[in-house]
Amino acid sequence: MTTSDPPFPPLKPRDPTSVGRYRTVGRLGAGGMGVVYAGRAPSGSLVAIKLVHGDLATDPEFRARFRREADLVGRVVGPCVPRFLDRDTEADLPWLATEYVSGPTLHQHVREHGPLSGDSLHAFALGVAEALRAIHAAGIVHRDLKPGNVILAPDGPKVLDFGIARAVDETAITRTGGLFGTPGWVAPELLRGAPPSPAADVFAWGGLVAFAATGRAPFGKGSAETMAVRVLDGKPDLEGVPQHLAPLVRAATGQDPNRRPTVEQALAELLGTDQATVVGAGPEATELVTRVLRAGWEAPPPPTVFTGDPLPRTEPKRGRPWLLTGAAIGALALVAAGAWAAGDRLSKDPVEDPGGGAAAAGTEEGRNEEATDPEATGSDERVLVEVAGNGLFMVHADTSGALDVTPGFAGVGLGLPQGVARDEYVVASVRVNTVSADSATQTGVRVFGEVEYLADEGEFTLRAGDLTLLEVGQGLDPLPDDPTADGRGAHTADPGRVLATVSPDSPDSEFEVDFPDAPQSGLLAYLPAADALGGEARVGGVYTCYMNWHPYPPVDMTDEEFVPCPAERPQ
């Protein structure tokens, strides 16, 4: 057996070199729960290791839920789910390990090669249904079935991220009343407040098969609010779904959960057998599924791997229409924010504040208008950021002036002008999370996340200097119109450090940056550099509240209202 490692995105300097008995060899992803590493077992086989963030590891309630969910995941067995291998739920940082599954996600494959068809599409629908049968049989509801959570492996589709998401979800719901899932894939009854159920997973399964068949999300793309309205309207776009699958997909995406087919009914129809054959996870049903997969599944090409090194900057084409060409990352809840100007670019001479960060100047004399004034730059390009969901920033740009960007703050409100469609000028999405920079001492703040490029040409750069952490506390407005105008402490990082550069050729990238002196609660402000898109532009940014004791920071801000940030953890 060879032990040469595939080209995984590299480990970060502070990543562990081992977890339990496994040697880490690369990063597979990161999110609100923790980091997923590629590892090597002592035998040489590849594994996937999910390591919990330190913030969550200190929460006894989360540990208990993680322990219970790990027990459930260990009981899920089937040809279309990764095999459970190992765990340590009592470690300082709890973890679990499953077999490593190679291949692109459905999202990656459709983006790079187009939709599935023929026998492969039928095998995909069957395999995902079989995975849900195994997951439901173990007492788990997946709750976040979507194109990014299905791997197209050489031997068939594999459904990822079941069970562990439930642990995070239940903690969040207990504390905040939040909704877990990705807009466009969340069943309508969940949007109306019903508890998760197997029928909600069937709804997502129907949308997933439609996406695999057409390359289009069944409820389109747009803001969280827009997606929710479309789901509640109950009119999925199923044009292009093959005739033999269309009735089943249409029934699965129906509004009434009681009238959707069960997973067993879907499996029976796809296998051309009776429902009794697939009930109870018997070996006969597994053999039938394996036989169909072996006969109809065609191994997809491997995914394009971006190792994390920024691309060389090139001069983008000018006069481009910034049109949405990819599916925007989903948000958990619609929130709103205004435009802001903060950090080093606001002051020609930053001064140190007692809190250890540069105090942000809020006067007109302190603002660097040269970076954002089109008369100074000779450019009419406008770049505007809005908060589209929990920890999700959407970057919009245009040259027509429709966005009507005012450099600096426009107050707390919707980022886009009235009448401007949210997906009309979208360029990129930036999803952020925060944890303690030092999990052992619970000090400092690490901001990390993912950037996705959504336009059809050009490129977008995220720099460390685009992010500023602003302090909150006594005497400071908890929801200021301009958080830079009252002398509050501002914590910044190296402004020139490139965190990620994305383009149509390499549209996805992860990033992280530490703010060692920042408090565990504050305002996370994001203002792109004037040249983030390659040329000078007027820019407007946003801020959100982050609280590192919250189960899913940055804080979910619902109903277009900000949640004030406390200076200390509430008792």
Side-chain angles (χ1 to χ4, degrees):
M1 176 184 295
T2 178
T3 58
S4 61
D5 298 325
F8 298 117
L11 296 170
K12 306 291 185 182
R14 296 190 181 184
D15 283 337
T17 56
S18 64
V19 176
R21 61 193 183 97
Y22 303 100
R23 176 175 58 89
T24 54
V25 295
R27 269 182 168 240
L28 298 177
M33 187 275 288
V35 181
V36 183
Y37 296 102
R40 284 279 181 192
S43 65
S45 62
L46 280 171
V47 301
I49 309 162
K50 300 183 180 182
L51 185 69
V52 170
H53 283 313
D55 296 58
L56 290 173
T58 61
D59 184 337
E61 181 183 358
F62 177 84
R63 273 187 175 269
R65 295 185 188 280
F66 183 87
R67 190 180 303 115
R68 190 180 71 205
E69 296 302 333
D71 289 339
L72 291 175
V73 170
R75 296 204 295 265
V76 178
V77 178
C80 296
V81 293
R83 184 164 50 93
F84 178 83
L85 299 174
D86 201 355
R87 66 177 177 180
D88 186 350
T89 58
E90 304 304 323
D92 290 342
L93 297 180
W95 57 270
L96 65 79
T98 64
E99 68 171 321
Y100 169 75
V101 180
S102 64
T105 66
L106 176 64
H107 177 79
Q108 288 174 316
H109 179 83
V110 167
R111 184 180 61 207
E112 295 178 15
H113 304 286
L116 303 178
S117 61
D119 290 342
S120 286
L121 175 61
H122 187 90
F124 173 85
L126 177 69
V128 176
E130 163 61 21
L132 287 180
R133 184 207 54 74
I135 292 168
H136 293 169
I140 300 173
V141 178
H142 191 289
R143 309 186 187 198
D144 199 22
L145 190 63
K146 59 186 179 182
N149 279 342
V150 181
I151 295 286
L152 307 187
D155 58 344
K158 308 278 187 181
V159 173
L160 309 180
D161 286 348
F162 52 89
I164 302 309
R166 178 181 177 183
V168 176
D169 177 27
E170 290 187 353
T171 302
I173 286 179
T174 299
R175 295 181 178 181
T176 68
L179 173 69
F180 183 84
T182 302
W185 305 96
V186 176
E189 66 269 19
L190 302 188
L191 296 174
R192 296 186 177 103
S197 69
D201 281 351
V202 171
F203 176 88
W205 172 85
L208 204 61
V209 175
F211 179 85
T214 67
R216 303 186 310 274
F219 295 96
K221 48 203 173 190
S223 69
E225 181 184 48
T226 299
M227 302 291 281
V229 169
R230 288 174 183 162
V231 169
L232 292 171
D233 281 346
K235 298 177 181 177
D237 174 13
L238 304 182
E239 184 178 353
V241 177
Q243 187 174 357
H244 74 285
L245 289 175
L248 188 57
V249 170
R250 187 173 296 108
T253 53
Q255 288 282 295
D256 185 351
N258 297 316
R259 301 184 65 179
R260 293 178 200 142
T262 64
V263 168
E264 289 80 10
Q265 288 171 335
L267 274 172
E269 183 164 335
L270 292 167
L271 287 169
T273 186
D274 61 281
Q275 185 178 342
T277 303
V278 298
V279 173
E284 183 181 352
T286 301
E287 173 59 30
L288 280 172
V289 170
T290 303
R291 193 183 311 158
V292 172
L293 290 175
R294 191 180 300 122
W297 183 252
E298 182 177 348
T304 300
V305 175
F306 178 54
T307 60
D309 298 325
L311 295 176
R313 290 188 58 80
T314 58
E315 186 65 26
K317 302 174 185 178
R318 308 306 298 170
R320 60 198 178 277
W322 289 105
L323 300 177
L324 180 66
T325 59
I329 297 177
L332 299 187
L334 176 68
V335 297
W340 69 279
D344 292 351
R345 287 193 295 280
L346 294 189
S347 174
K348 296 176 182 178
D349 299 296
V351 295
E352 294 298 316
D353 78 298
T363 64
E364 288 300 320
E365 291 79 10
R367 295 178 187 241
N368 184 356
E369 293 294 341
E370 293 181 0
T372 57
D373 188 344
E375 294 183 1
T377 63
S379 170
D380 287 332
E381 184 158 83
R382 319 289 178 90
V383 176
L384 178 65
V385 180
E386 69 163 342
V387 179
N390 191 351
L392 178 67
F393 297 130
M394 300 303 294
V395 181
H396 306 266
D398 85 307
T399 57
S400 68
L403 293 182
D404 193 24
V405 174
T406 301
F409 257 92
V412 177
L414 286 175
L416 297 183
Q418 186 175 3
V420 175
R422 282 187 172 83
D423 61 356
E424 187 174 357
Y425 300 103
V426 69
V427 177
S429 64
V430 182
R431 181 177 289 282
V432 298
N433 288 282
T434 66
V435 294
S436 298
D438 187 328
S439 59
T441 62
Q442 299 289 289
T443 58
V445 175
R446 173 171 299 168
V447 179
F448 67 97
E450 301 171 338
V451 184
E452 181 174 6
Y453 196 69
L454 302 173
D456 56 358
E457 56 183 52
E459 67 178 16
F460 171 75
T461 298
L462 175 70
R463 295 184 177 88
D466 299 346
L467 303 171
T468 303
L469 301 188
L470 295 146
E471 295 184 5
V472 296
Q474 188 174 3
L476 297 173
D477 185 347
L479 300 175
D481 288 338
D482 183 343
T484 70
D486 54 10
R488 70 180 65 215
H491 300 268
T492 59
D494 177 6
R497 177 187 166 194
V498 173
L499 300 179
T501 298
V502 289
S503 69
D505 293 331
S506 293
D508 304 294
S509 182
E510 296 180 356
F511 69 90
E512 67 175 37
V513 57
D514 285 354
F515 299 81
D517 299 318
Q520 295 298 292
S521 176
L523 305 178
L524 190 162
Y526 172 44
L527 176 69
D531 64 346
L533 295 172
E536 296 296 303
R538 298 169 69 104
V539 293
V542 292
Y543 73 85
T544 123
C545 171
Y546 73 89
M547 294 186 291
N548 276 350
W549 52 80
H550 189 278
Y552 193 87
V555 172
D556 188 6
M557 299 180 295
T558 58
D559 299 327
E560 301 183 5
E561 294 180 0
F562 280 86
V563 176
C565 248
E568 298 180 357
R569 181 171 186 160
Q571 299 301 316

